[in-house]
Amino acid sequence: MAHRPYIVGNWKMNGSRAALAEARAIDRGAQRYKDVSVALAPPFPLLGLLREEVTTIGVGGQDCHTAAKGAHTGDVSAAMLADIGADFVIVGHSERRRDHGETDALVQAKAQAALVSGLGVIVCVGETLAERDTGQAEAVVAAQIDGSLPDDAAAHDAALLGRLSVAYEPVWAIGTGRVAAVDDVVAMHAAIGARLAARFGDAAAKMRILYGGSVNGDNAAALLAAPGVRGALVGGASLTADAFLPIVAAASSGEG
Ligand code: PGA
């Protein structure tokens, strides 16, 4: 497959102006790995600053509103993200589903708004530990895929699908140091790929399926080599260049 691996750092509600030095170091380091697409999603206050400071990596938001503008205090629209030069937005992260009660339908509307604004979109899905332990993981993720991805009308053409990624992030693996077993990741990515193909046809092959949940420099190589894994969404290990660049290196074919 001609896809470049996509390694995205999600800073969540972490970072400061001082932390932009880490982002600059990540940007410089990423220049050594031209066969990898690298990106960071900092908190909103840092996004415009980061955009001005980096040349190689992509920058994106961690959420967006469904509307382009209007009376929605505290929210940020996809159009605003595009306007300041963001490349993409993450929607439907499990922490937003948990903290803000986001439903699949809301996540879908956000994803569609982001596509309309010209952004890349990373739609997050993943089961809880209770759901995995009771054998429901694939069914839960399938339902999230069905409900959270842009509808067929919004994602009708292959060019748009090329801007869409799905991040499979088992909730129990996020921030816990408990990474999913590679076999389970492979099985879930295959199930997601089949679901996407059934829905979008051959063009679904343009979509990237990323793994997220406790990815670090030690486990990245095995995860990224697994069939169907086209990148990683990284939380804690994206906050410093020392932690993040080894993951980028693991995604590279190796000329370094
Ligand atoms: P983590 O977070 O790498 O800290 O587990 C991943 C994510 O939530 O995207």
Side-chain angles (χ1 to χ4, degrees):
M1 278 283 161
H3 279 278
R4 291 163 84 202
Y6 191 27
I7 306 297
V8 182
N10 170 14
W11 279 13
K12 309 190 178 184
M13 199 169 72
N14 297 294
S16 59
R17 270 178 181 278
L20 291 174
E22 294 295 337
R24 285 193 296 273
I26 289 167
D27 188 55
R28 280 194 304 277
Q31 291 166 15
R32 298 200 300 272
Y33 305 103
K34 300 229 182 297
D35 58 340
V36 183
S37 292
V38 182
L40 286 178
F44 287 135
L46 299 178
L47 193 52
L49 297 169
L50 182 61
R51 173 74 291 168
E52 303 295 316
E53 298 213 13
V54 298
T55 57
T56 298
I57 64 172
V59 302
Q62 299 172 13
D63 179 48
C64 65
H65 196 272
T66 57
K69 64 184 173 74
H72 302 288
T73 302
D75 279 311
V76 171
S77 73
M80 289 170 169
L81 295 176
D83 181 56
I84 60 109
D87 303 294
F88 71 98
V89 64
I90 299 167
V91 296
H93 192 282
S94 62
E95 289 154 11
R96 295 215 50 95
R97 292 176 186 261
R98 180 196 67 202
D99 294 351
H100 300 276
E102 295 197 2
T103 61
D104 287 340
L106 181 64
V107 174
Q108 180 185 56
K110 290 181 175 199
Q112 289 177 186
L115 279 185
V116 167
S117 297
L119 296 172
V121 186
I122 300 172
V123 180
C124 301
V125 297
E127 81 285 356
T128 64
L129 190 57
E131 289 162 346
R132 174 154 292 269
D133 286 347
T134 51
Q136 300 174 75
E138 282 194 14
V140 165
V141 169
Q144 289 177 334
I145 293 282
D146 291 352
S148 307
L149 262 73
D151 62 25
D152 299 1
H156 58 282
D157 74 53
L160 287 186
L161 287 179
R163 285 203 263 122
L164 262 177
S165 302
V166 171
Y168 168 55
E169 299 203 301
V171 175
W172 47 272
I174 294 176
T176 59
R178 194 178 152 194
V179 70
V182 172
D183 285 353
D184 289 340
V185 173
V186 170
M188 187 63 86
H189 279 229
I192 292 170
R195 199 90 186 167
L196 297 175
R199 172 137 162 209
F200 297 115
D202 291 346
K206 291 186 176 291
M207 297 176 62
R208 284 184 280 218
I209 308 174
L210 316 177
Y211 169 77
S214 295
V215 177
N216 60 38
D218 294 330
N219 60 32
L223 289 162
L224 292 167
V229 179
R230 291 179 170 174
L233 185 54
V234 183
S238 70
L239 293 171
T240 64
D242 281 353
F244 195 48
L245 288 173
I247 299 171
V248 177
S252 171
S253 64
E255 59 268 30

